Amino acid sequence: MTKTMRIGIIGSGGIAGAHVAQYKQLENVEIVGIADVVPGKAKQFTDQHGLGGAQSFEDHRKLLELELDGVSICTPNVSHHQTTVDALRAGKNVLLEKPMSVTLAEAVDMVQVQRETGRMLTIGFQPRYDPNMKLVQEIVQSGKLGKVYYVETGGGRRRGMPGGTFIRKELAGAGAMADIGCYSLDMALNALGYPKPLTVSAYTSNYFGTNPLYHPEADRFEVEDFGVAMVRFEGDLVLQFKISWAMHMDTLGATMFLGTDGGLKVTPHGSGNWSGVWDGKVGAMTLYHDFMGQQTATPVPVIEHDRQLFFEKVRDFVDAVREGRPAPIPGEQILIQQAIIDGVQRSAEAKCEVAIELP
């Protein structure tokens, strides 16, 4: 008989509701506890989502005293580090929502604790489960492009600024870079095999978020709504990273991989104010190369599918725990991305290039 997986959820905001919806679709999975620091919020959440058998807690450490096979951590960004460390030390496997942490030091500590405890730490990047993202990775790593020397990634919403905890420095740590920029970075870095970053030179601003014409919480807006960075990696590779929550432009362009033998262009999926970022499907893909001495552009067929990427993420976590597999998207890997975002923040504040030092 298949063992019933016992799951706890830390944090009861909107993203926690998405996790609950996915867990409910899985057989032999039971949500047994919810924790939220706001008094009464966890109980309200269990009632709202029909989790009558789940216990509610105001202290996540009390939740971690339960017998649990895994936890989803859905707290504001600044809480990711402590809740993850506490869960790992309590012997629980962790599915952590992005971004991994606020600072590089926090990410390093999380990975060290994961290694010490032998528990699983996987980071929630559901776009990885789009077969087209896997196709991009296959093309880049196939050698068809030759040596890849330049990558451009990012994306931008003409208007798409969140509010609440997303815009407060003390809770989010960073803005567009960490919220949607992390998806763009993961798309490119995963395709490249997560090379080691060396330096970053960055600029950030929040002209839209702090303007009441564009945001209803302008007086509370403390993070960046736009950022751009040039990142140098080992192996003579550079990456231009750009992201925006709001701008007077329809797009910040496609993701491009330039290689000595070919180039790959990938356009975002969708249209409208909230599109233009890599948090879901991809649009058109084109391979640029020479054939028989002629410049050639070959369309790469986009794989049509109806997969629910968020569901795939949660299911893969459950299956990996049940089968004793490694973390689907390991913290050790995303630590590199966190080092870049940390470098972006430091460089933008210092207004100069800064070094990235990995342990």
Side-chain angles (χ1 to χ4, degrees):
M1 178 178 291
T2 302
K3 174 181 179 291
T4 296
M5 297 278 291
R6 293 170 56 85
I7 300 294
I9 298 179
I10 302 176
S12 62
I15 201 67
H19 279 249
V20 168
Q22 314 316 312
Y23 282 123
K24 280 186 170 182
Q25 295 184 60
L26 296 170
E27 294 182 357
N28 300 307
V29 173
E30 180 184 6
I31 299 173
V32 299
I34 308 291
D36 196 293
V37 295
V38 178
K41 192 176 179 185
K43 179 61 168 64
Q44 182 182 15
F45 183 87
T46 60
D47 293 342
Q48 177 185 354
H49 292 277
L51 302 173
Q55 298 183 58
S56 56
F57 304 88
E58 294 177 11
D59 187 336
H60 69 273
R61 292 169 295 186
K62 293 295 184 181
L63 167 68
L64 295 173
E65 292 176 2
L66 300 179
E67 180 185 343
L68 300 171
D69 297 290
V71 294
S72 280
I73 295 181
C74 307
T75 63
N77 300 347
V78 295
S79 303
H80 285 186
H81 168 250
Q82 192 60 59
T83 50
T84 296
V85 167
D86 289 344
L88 292 169
R89 291 202 183 282
K92 318 305 182 188
N93 299 295
V94 175
L95 167 57
L96 172 64
E97 269 300 326
K98 58 80 186 171
M100 182 175 178
S101 63
V102 171
T103 68
L104 174 58
E106 289 177 344
V108 169
D109 186 48
M110 293 156 76
V111 169
Q112 288 177 337
V113 172
Q114 179 270 317
R115 289 172 177 169
E116 291 171 7
T117 60
R119 297 293 88 192
M120 179 192 299
L121 171 58
T122 189
I123 315 301
F125 284 96
Q126 63 269 12
R128 287 261 195 116
Y129 295 92
D130 183 342
N132 293 290
M133 290 291 190
K134 296 179 181 179
L135 180 57
V136 169
Q137 181 185 32
E138 289 175 7
I139 292 172
V140 173
Q141 296 188 4
S142 71
K144 291 183 182 296
L145 305 184
K147 172 182 166 44
V148 177
Y149 56 89
Y150 174 81
V151 178
E152 189 170 319
T153 193
R157 299 168 175 164
R158 183 162 185 174
R159 296 290 188 278
M161 293 181 286
T165 60
F166 285 88
I167 64 172
R168 294 173 59 189
K169 187 78 171 178
E170 65 177 355
L171 294 177
M177 284 278 178
D179 177 39
I180 54 177
C182 62
Y183 288 131
S184 306
L185 277 176
D186 187 62
M187 174 193 183
L189 296 177
N190 189 49
L192 294 164
Y194 264 89
K196 182 180 179 181
L198 302 175
T199 65
V200 58
S201 181
Y203 164 87
T204 62
S205 64
N206 58 4
Y207 292 116
F208 285 82
T210 56
N211 187 334
L213 290 175
Y214 299 111
H215 202 289
E217 300 176 76
D219 59 337
R220 302 174 63 234
F221 203 102
E222 301 170 338
V223 295
E224 83 284 351
D225 59 42
F226 172 82
V228 62
M230 180 67 79
V231 187
R232 291 183 179 274
F233 294 84
E234 285 186 340
D236 199 25
L237 167 70
V238 294
L239 178 146
Q240 183 179 351
F241 171 42
K242 51 191 178 178
I243 202 72
S244 179
W245 270 342
M247 58 184 176
H248 289 304
M249 189 54 60
D250 61 337
T251 177
L252 285 177
T255 286
M256 295 181 287
F257 298 86
L258 300 186
T260 54
D261 297 332
L264 178 64
K265 180 179 181 180
V266 188
T267 59
H269 173 81
S271 61
N273 280 345
W274 284 76
S275 65
V277 295
W278 300 107
D279 56 359
K281 299 179 180 179
V282 307
M285 294 186 285
T286 307
L287 180 65
Y288 293 87
H289 57 112
D290 288 356
F291 180 73
M292 300 294 288
Q294 300 296 316
Q295 297 176 18
T296 305
T298 302
V300 178
V302 173
I303 301 170
E304 299 296 335
H305 68 91
D306 58 0
R307 295 185 184 181
Q308 299 300 310
L309 303 183
F310 207 101
F311 172 74
E312 296 289 342
K313 170 179 74 174
V314 173
R315 180 173 64 178
D316 203 18
F317 168 63
V318 169
D319 288 348
V321 172
R322 180 171 279 143
E323 297 165 11
R325 292 193 278 111
I329 305 177
E332 294 98 324
Q333 191 179 65
I334 305 304
L335 182 151
I336 294 175
Q337 180 194 122
Q338 198 61 49
I340 294 173
I341 294 176
D342 179 89
V344 166
Q345 300 295 322
R346 291 186 292 114
S347 174
E349 183 176 349
K351 301 185 186 301
C352 65
E353 184 177 64
V354 299
I356 296 177
E357 297 182 3
L358 292 170

